[in-house]
Amino acid sequence: MEIEVMPSEGGEPASVSEVVGALKKVGFETKLENPNWGCWIHLSGYQTSISVDLERRLISRACLEIDDADPDEVQSKLFAAFAKLGWQGEDEDGPFRLD
């Protein structure tokens, strides 16, 4: 399942270190991969990954690519991490709060 997350209206992009720090606070170990075709944050021990729009070390949008094989807690922990940054989610039904 793919879920887009981005700053709430009027919110600011987050630095890579802010996003990685928020993910660590909810218990994820991360690895940042920045190949030529895009930037990814991988969660150690999980199949779920996060592709990010990165410009000048700021993330303005991310796509949570949640793998069905991972436990349900992965989604709730991701939502908690991005909610602490003041971000919102968006899916096929439109924008929604992450908290």
Side-chain angles (χ1 to χ4, degrees):
M1 166 177 32
E2 292 184 4
I3 299 171
E4 298 281 329
V5 292
M6 72 281 309
S8 297
E9 189 172 325
E12 297 289 326
S15 70
V16 172
S17 61
E18 288 172 319
V19 171
V20 168
L23 293 168
K24 285 183 180 182
K25 284 182 181 177
V26 296
F28 291 119
E29 290 185 37
T30 62
K31 177 185 171 198
L32 185 65
E33 181 181 339
N34 195 1
N36 294 335
W37 50 268
C39 185
W40 292 84
I41 298 173
H42 297 281
L43 307 176
S44 298
Y46 299 100
Q47 297 300 311
T48 294
S49 59
I50 305 165
S51 65
V52 297
D53 291 346
L54 182 62
E55 186 175 328
R56 289 179 282 219
R57 305 272 314 157
L58 293 176
I59 298 172
S60 58
R61 177 180 283 276
C63 181
L64 311 178
E65 298 189 14
I66 301 169
D67 194 286
D68 291 337
D70 287 337
D72 291 340
E73 71 180 27
V74 169
Q75 179 176 314
S76 61
K77 288 169 67 175
L78 286 170
F79 280 13
F82 283 97
K84 288 187 185 290
L85 295 171
W87 286 32
Q88 67 182 13
E90 187 172 321
D91 61 14
E92 61 275 356
D93 297 324
F96 61 91
R97 293 176 53 102
L98 296 171
D99 53 359

